[in-house]
Amino acid sequence: MAKKIGKLLLTKLSALAKTDQSGVTTVLGGEATAVGQDTLAEGKATLQVKDLGAVTVVKGTASFGATAQSTGGSTAYATADSFADVSGADIVITRTKSTSNTTENGDSTTWTETSTTRVLAIDIEGITLPKTLDLSAGLSKVLSKIQGFKAIKKPDPVDLDGNVAKVQIDVLVEGENTYADVGTSVLTVEDTLSTVNASITTGIA
């Protein structure tokens, strides 16, 4: 059944196609900021782009989280965002999930936010669709199966001590003509702030 569906999809794509001479460009990343006495901001992003001959496959995840904790009526604030954008692919699936939670315990306030974006894109050699097929709404569950990646989870407030910022990046681009660029920044201010942001940009043709 899967093979029949695949052949049917390729037949329909070929009927709509014209000569394809473009490459595939991907941007993946995010940011997180926590403001408070004890803060944690962290980001993780992994992106793989592979030219498999007949198709080029893009697969990636960006996960960012922030937690702030303050006592005695001091400010506690957290924000997190993640994103993915692919141009030049025939099929693109993206999904972003965000969480936000604020708790108060006596004179202590804790604010946590997380954001995770997953992306899967396919470019079929030799054809270009009149319009990219965005299947995010119908096939977003497929993205939860991306192997080897765990999204950032809310830390235990008991373990939150000081002001910490950290980022982890993993990128791989395989093909004849490729490009990869990574940009990151981290900043902490004692008893005040943790912030991180990161982005990955890749190209393949």
Side-chain angles (χ1 to χ4, degrees):
M1 177 63 72
K3 290 183 178 180
K4 290 183 178 179
I5 294 174
K7 289 181 179 180
L8 179 61
L9 178 59
L10 288 176
T11 299
K12 289 183 177 294
L13 293 177
S14 298
L16 294 170
K18 57 184 179 181
T19 302
D20 179 15
Q21 297 181 347
S22 63
V24 177
T25 301
T26 305
V27 181
L28 176 74
E31 60 184 353
T33 299
V35 178
Q37 294 171 336
D38 296 307
T39 57
L40 170 65
E42 55 185 330
K44 295 194 300 181
T46 178
L47 180 62
Q48 291 186 355
V49 183
K50 294 185 178 183
D51 183 349
L52 303 178
V55 298
T56 296
V57 178
V58 176
K59 183 172 63 173
T61 304
S63 187
F64 287 76
T67 297
Q69 188 175 54
S70 292
T71 58
S74 298
T75 299
Y77 171 76
T79 181
D81 182 52
S82 58
F83 61 86
D85 182 71
V86 181
S87 61
D90 296 309
I91 301 171
V92 178
I93 308 171
T94 59
R95 183 188 184 191
T96 298
K97 181 178 181 181
S98 300
T99 66
S100 181
N101 184 59
T102 304
T103 59
E104 294 186 2
N105 184 12
D107 67 343
S108 175
T109 300
T110 302
W111 189 334
T112 298
E113 286 205 0
T114 67
S115 179
T116 300
T117 296
R118 291 181 169 87
V119 60
L120 177 65
I122 300 173
D123 186 52
I124 304 170
E125 184 179 1
I127 68 172
T128 298
L129 299 180
K131 184 179 181 180
T132 298
L133 294 180
D134 189 342
L135 305 179
S136 302
L139 299 177
S140 60
K141 289 185 179 180
V142 173
L143 298 174
S144 64
K145 303 299 182 181
I146 291 179
Q147 189 174 3
F149 190 94
K150 293 184 178 180
I152 288 175
K153 295 182 179 180
K154 185 176 95 170
D156 187 340
V158 175
D159 297 329
L160 197 60
D161 183 22
N163 306 95
V164 180
K166 53 187 179 180
V167 64
Q168 178 181 336
I169 302 293
D170 184 9
V171 58
L172 172 67
V173 187
E174 292 183 355
E176 184 175 354
N177 299 298
T178 62
Y179 169 82
D181 180 72
V182 174
T184 65
S185 69
V186 297
L187 173 66
T188 61
V189 179
E190 186 177 2
D191 296 330
T192 303
L193 172 75
S194 296
T195 183
V196 302
N197 69 70
S199 66
I200 304 172
T201 302
T202 64
I204 188 167

